[in-house]
Amino acid sequence: MASLEHKPAWTRNFVRLKTSVVLAIGLFAAALVGIAISKFSFSGLPALSAGTFFPTARPIADFNLKFENGAEFTRKDLTGHWTALFAGYTHCPDVCPTALAQLKAAKAKLGADAEKLTILFLSVDPERDTPDRLADYVHYFDPSFRAATGSEQQINAFAANLFIVHMKAPNESSGGYEVGHSAELILIDPKGRHAGFLRSPFVPETLAADLKAVLMSRVP
């Protein structure tokens, strides 16, 4: 696999998505999350500084994707530990590398508790994000980070189940495309359920404190 150590692909300059596309994604994602929260009654889960626990965790439908090492990734791989999932793509010019760098910094502040957490990067660009490319990308930030991909149909179904919004937009400068996507950190509990989310932009200190609260919470 090609190394990203000297010249990471994500450091290339890209034209940002049009404001209207980004705004549409943000509003749609907020609406979906609002609908999800409105269906639940509040309980005694710990408060998060920059996020929300769903009072009742949501089941995740069965899926079949691939990890960055080519191994099968299914719902059973989400059980037995907390998972913090961020959706993005390796050609992302700013949001994704920034988020992964902040996750690395926050993870370092968790100490031994970091072993209880899996950080997973879900690609929303299966056309370009091969398993090998994803492995190089996430391991550049932290060797323990995982990544997942699959067919466009598989990713769309899994992302929709987690209220992750994404859409392609043309890059007029390069003649290619970029992918606009929601930027929340999805929280998945040890029973493999969608338990809540943390809002971006992330601050390592706040992110670490919230993740520690997540790891210490009791799973009903």
Side-chain angles (χ1 to χ4, degrees), residues 16-60:
R16 292 177 181 272
L17 289 173
K18 293 181 179 179
T19 302
S20 59
V21 174
V22 176
L23 180 60
I25 290 173
L27 292 175
F28 187 40
L32 288 176
V33 171
I35 290 170
I37 294 175
S38 69
K39 293 182 178 179
F40 305 115
S41 58
F42 288 99
S43 66
L45 290 168
L48 300 174
S49 297
T52 301
F53 269 120
F54 297 142
T56 302
R58 302 179 59 255
I60 296 174

Side-chain angles (χ1 to χ4, degrees), residues 17 21-22 24-30 32 65 85-89 96 122-127 129 149-169 177-184:
L17 289 173
V21 174
V22 176
I25 290 173
L27 292 175
F28 187 40
L32 288 176
L65 299 172
L85 182 152
F86 187 84
Y89 65 117
C96 300
L122 173 69
S123 170
V124 291
D125 185 14
E127 183 177 337
D129 287 348
T149 186
S151 69
E152 184 174 358
Q153 182 178 8
Q154 290 170 327
I155 290 172
N156 288 347
F158 182 59
N161 198 226
L162 296 173
F163 302 117
I164 295 169
V165 182
H166 62 284
M167 64 179 72
K168 283 185 179 181
Y177 65 89
E178 294 184 358
V179 184
H181 56 88
S182 49
E184 288 77 22

Side-chain angles (χ1 to χ4, degrees), residues 37-204:
I37 294 175
S38 69
K39 293 182 178 179
F40 305 115
S41 58
F42 288 99
S43 66
L45 290 168
L48 300 174
S49 297
T52 301
F53 269 120
F54 297 142
T56 302
R58 302 179 59 255
I60 296 174
D62 288 335
F63 61 89
N64 197 311
L65 299 172
K66 293 289 185 183
F67 278 121
E68 82 285 352
N69 61 3
E72 187 178 68
F73 171 40
T74 65
R75 190 158 57 93
K76 68 180 181 181
D77 294 300
L78 295 175
T79 60
H81 55 83
W82 279 93
T83 299
L85 182 152
F86 187 84
Y89 65 117
T90 64
H91 285 77
C92 181
D94 42 29
V95 173
C96 300
T98 299
L100 289 174
Q102 291 164 336
L103 279 166
K104 176 182 179 179
K107 176 175 172 282
K109 297 178 182 296
L110 294 177
D113 287 335
E115 298 297 323
K116 306 173 186 176
L117 177 69
T118 295
I119 294 176
L120 177 66
F121 182 79
L122 173 69
S123 170
V124 291
D125 185 14
E127 183 177 337
R128 296 181 293 190
D129 287 348
T130 63
D132 280 355
R133 182 178 178 85
L134 283 169
D136 284 344
Y137 185 71
V138 297
H139 295 163
Y140 175 86
F141 294 95
D142 191 303
S144 72
F145 286 4
R146 305 302 309 271
T149 186
S151 69
E152 184 174 358
Q153 182 178 8
Q154 290 170 327
I155 290 172
N156 288 347
F158 182 59
N161 198 226
L162 296 173
F163 302 117
I164 295 169
V165 182
H166 62 284
M167 64 179 72
K168 283 185 179 181
N171 183 321
E172 297 176 0
S173 175
S174 69
Y177 65 89
E178 294 184 358
V179 184
H181 56 88
S182 49
E184 288 77 22
L185 188 64
I186 305 299
L187 302 175
I188 300 173
D189 72 19
K191 293 185 178 181
R193 303 172 302 180
H194 186 187
F197 63 93
L198 298 179
R199 293 183 296 273
S200 62
F202 306 123
V203 177

